[in-house]
Amino acid sequence: AGPGSGAFTMSPQAPPVAVFKLTADFREDSHPQKVNLGVGAYRTDDCQPWVLPVVKKVEKLIVEDSSLNHEYLPILGLPEFRSAASKVALGDDSTAIKENRVGGVQALGGTGALRVGADFLRRWYNGTNNTATPVYVSAPTWENHNGVFADAGFKDIRPYHYWDAAKRGLDLDGLLDDLEKAPERSIFVLHACAHNPTGTDPTQEEWKKIAEIMKRRNLFVFFDSAYQGFASGSLDKDAWAIRFFVSEGFELFVAQSFSKNFGLYNERVGNLTVVAQDNENLTRILSQMEKIVRTTWSNPPSQGARIVSKTLNCPELFSEWKGNVKTMADRVLLMRDQLKTKLQDLGTPGTWDHITQQIGMFSFTGLNPKQVEYMIKEKHVYLMASGRINMCGLTTKNIDYVAQSIHEAVTKVQ
Ligand SMILES: Cc1ncc(COP(=O)(O)O)c(C=O)c1O
Ligand SMILES: *[C@@H]1O[C@H](CO)[C@@H](O)[C@H](O)[C@H]1NC(C)=O
Ligand SMILES: *[C@@H]1O[C@H](CO)[C@@H](O)[C@H](O)[C@H]1NC(C)=O
Ligand SMILES: *[C@@H]1O[C@H](CO)[C@@H](O)[C@H](O)[C@H]1NC(C)=O
Ligand SMILES: *[C@@H]1O[C@H](CO)[C@@H](O)[C@H](O)[C@H]1NC(C)=O
């Protein structure tokens, strides 16, 4: 044994990340009719990843632009990216932007934006290093929310009521009750639209009730906006909740991901939008953000941010992008409609209206873990143990097979 041997005996094997494990299992499966409904990424009707036409166009412009180089970006990111991103989230005519109290931090995807925001809150929210501040995440939620806030140091991460399994919809009473009972200044992570994994969002009236309590009880809003455009096909509609909270005077964070709506998953394009009380507060906050970024990734990568900012800052490219987003959203809506109709035509027990009532990339089918296991083992249709399916994995070619498989799972397995 050499020097240092045994240094790592204390590091146990960590369990695999469920959604990546599912994709690995899918790849190894040689069944000709296999279908992957796991990972949250868009697919075309030929089941292929889609490079948005507008992205291809902008990539060409970037290659041909001899003024660009590969120097370090500023710590907080590409300036024109940072300013364009807030406009997408808050709207062109946002009063908060005009009042110079909105700033952004370019981050490594939506995940990086959540992490920078969480690190900042742990250091500077309601005191310093206040790791006892409760952080509430929806039950269920994107599982990484728990890990990101725990790794940032928060010790008290709690679920808030969200999904009512019996009625396959929002548990509004449970949610409002949790808001009423949470200690003042608790942090709430809210999905801005297209809730992952349930595909169920509050209505505008319900958002207003949520905001009323959060304001009265002085609770902190941390929006996670990973699917803007995917819910309705409209960027503005999908940002309604964020804009409403800002118009109500909240100081808040928005973790924006451009992975899904630009199809730029591996470029890691995200943005943390900070809405502060005034410019002086914002400046102080951003100076601390700069310190956090410096020790975390020092400064962000440029390629994805260039693609996004060139698109957002040019009116023609911007409208082309909106069209591309709508193409993706419309295909999802079509698949929802067809899946529901096919299950109803097959006479599959249960009601399937929730498939078209839910929105965004995912549907929470209501299949139980045993039925999910049957789908994977017997039918080679891969989905999350929670019963979540990625609607983009469905195509006009495999939807009959998937519907038949769900029918079998529901009728054969209890
Ligand atoms: C709710 C939610 N938040 C954040 C993210 C992270 O996005 P990104 O890949 O940009 O880090 C995802 C991605 O699946 C998500 O579903
Ligand atoms: C990032 O956020 C800031 C603050 O909201 C905003 O000004 C900027 O436009 C955002 N950048 C992008 C690309 O959305
Ligand atoms: C917060 O915690 C960090 C890391 O433990 C420590 O270095 C820092 O001094 C603390 N800050 C305050 C103000 O207590
Ligand atoms: C916020 O800080 C106050 C004053 O220190 C403290 O009493 C309260 O418990 C803190 N709230 C949370 C949610 O940590
Ligand atoms: C910063 O925001 C707080 C409220 O969050 C406010 O009381 C204060 O006046 C603002 N401006 C400055 C300069 O601190």
Side-chain angles (χ1 to χ4, degrees):
S5 71
F8 304 119
T9 51
M10 294 302 284
S11 165
Q13 180 72 32
V17 175
V19 71
F20 285 85
K21 168 82 165 60
L22 196 71
T23 299
D25 292 347
F26 170 78
R27 283 210 189 95
E28 277 178 18
D29 189 334
S30 57
H31 193 270
Q33 282 182 298
K34 68 177 179 175
V35 181
N36 186 359
L37 303 179
V39 67
Y42 182 77
R43 294 290 177 262
T44 65
D45 196 48
D46 293 316
C47 227
Q48 294 304 309
W50 196 44
V51 181
L52 272 58
V54 71
V55 167
K56 271 230 162 86
K57 192 183 272 182
V58 175
E59 281 177 327
K60 270 213 186 98
L61 293 175
I62 290 174
V63 169
E64 285 158 10
D65 185 344
S66 57
S67 74
L68 296 177
N69 55 47
H70 296 287
E71 290 294 288
Y72 287 122
L73 292 187
I75 293 174
L76 293 183
L78 194 68
E80 57 272 29
F81 167 82
R82 294 172 52 214
S83 58
S86 342
K87 267 195 297 188
V88 173
L90 304 187
D92 278 338
D93 51 355
S94 162
T95 326
I97 294 179
K98 287 184 191 133
E99 290 168 355
N100 284 322
R101 54 191 183 85
V102 179
V105 181
Q106 187 189 327
L108 302 195
T111 310
L114 285 165
R115 181 59 193 264
V116 171
D119 275 332
F120 174 87
L121 292 172
R122 194 265 294 150
R123 286 176 204 210
W124 301 110
Y125 178 70
N126 197 38
T128 52
N129 287 331
N130 185 354
T131 58
T133 309
V135 177
Y136 284 80
V137 300
S138 64
T141 192
W142 183 52
E143 76 289 343
N144 215 15
H145 281 154
N146 290 288
V148 164
F149 281 88
D151 279 1
F154 285 100
K155 300 237 169 355
D156 187 0
I157 299 165
R158 312 176 180 184
Y160 61 82
H161 285 92
Y162 195 83
W163 176 248
D164 181 336
K167 75 170 204 213
R168 290 193 181 156
L170 181 69
D171 177 5
L172 182 70
D173 292 340
L175 165 55
L176 298 182
D177 196 47
D178 287 338
L179 292 170
E180 290 287 5
K181 289 185 178 140
E184 287 217 2
R185 291 185 168 272
S186 294
I187 296 164
F188 274 76
V189 180
L190 303 176
H191 297 233
C193 69
H195 183 272
N196 177 5
T198 68
T200 300
D201 291 344
T203 62
Q204 294 187 359
E205 286 316 304
E206 290 167 343
W207 275 123
K208 286 181 185 168
K209 290 184 183 160
I210 293 167
E212 184 276 316
I213 302 176
M214 294 194 78
K215 191 188 235 180
R216 173 160 49 76
R217 306 236 32 260
N218 202 4
L219 303 170
F220 186 81
V221 183
F222 197 149
F223 275 115
D224 182 357
S225 177
Y227 297 93
Q228 192 181 352
F230 255 95
S232 67
S234 153
L235 294 165
D236 293 325
K237 260 196 205 151
D238 286 0
W240 188 89
I242 295 175
R243 294 174 192 178
F244 178 72
F245 275 71
V246 172
S247 75
E248 287 290 293
F250 282 85
E251 289 186 281
L252 50 77
F253 287 174
V254 186
Q256 269 176 290
S257 166
F258 292 94
S259 301
K260 325 272 173 172
N261 55 17
F262 264 90
L264 286 171
Y265 307 92
N266 66 5
E267 296 290 347
R268 312 308 299 138
V269 201
N271 189 52
L272 179 71
T273 289
V274 177
V275 180
Q277 208 62 48
D278 55 26
N279 184 260
E280 198 274 348
N281 276 287
L282 175 68
T283 307
R284 276 187 282 113
I285 295 168
L286 290 182
S287 73
Q288 290 296 338
M289 295 284 184
E290 204 164 56
K291 288 194 64 178
I292 295 169
V293 169
R294 180 63 176 153
T295 56
T296 312
W297 54 71
S298 193
N299 46 73
S302 69
Q303 179 72 3
R306 271 180 189 153
I307 294 170
V308 170
S309 69
K310 274 192 186 291
T311 305
L312 299 183
N313 287 313
C314 162
E316 291 86 55
L317 294 172
F318 186 55
S319 71
E320 188 175 343
W321 174 56
K322 286 200 269 194
N324 290 174
V325 171
K326 191 160 183 326
T327 298
M328 295 190 280
D330 285 348
R331 200 182 87 70
V332 172
L333 292 176
L334 184 70
M335 288 299 106
R336 285 188 185 281
D337 226 49
Q338 292 195 0
L339 184 62
K340 179 178 91 170
T341 307
K342 285 181 197 294
L343 289 169
Q344 286 173 341
D345 290 351
L346 287 168
T348 310
T351 60
W352 299 97
D353 290 329
H354 58 283
I355 298 205
T356 48
Q357 281 157 4
Q358 295 169 350
I359 53 173
M361 200 176 254
F362 302 112
S363 182
F364 221 39
T365 56
L367 295 184
N368 65 38
K370 280 201 176 131
Q371 293 165 336
V372 170
E373 196 183 319
Y374 179 88
M375 294 281 286
I376 297 175
K377 293 251 161 72
E378 303 297 327
K379 308 308 294 182
H380 309 269
V381 177
Y382 290 76
L383 66 161
M384 301 295 283
S386 62
R388 184 194 88 171
I389 60 175
N390 174 11
M391 295 306 298
C392 308
L394 292 173
T395 69
T396 51
K397 292 122 199 165
N398 67 22
I399 195 163
D400 285 314
Y401 179 73
V402 171
Q404 182 61 40
S405 302
I406 293 177
H407 181 77
E408 276 181 40
V410 171
T411 48
K412 290 188 180 167
V413 186
Q414 295 314 311

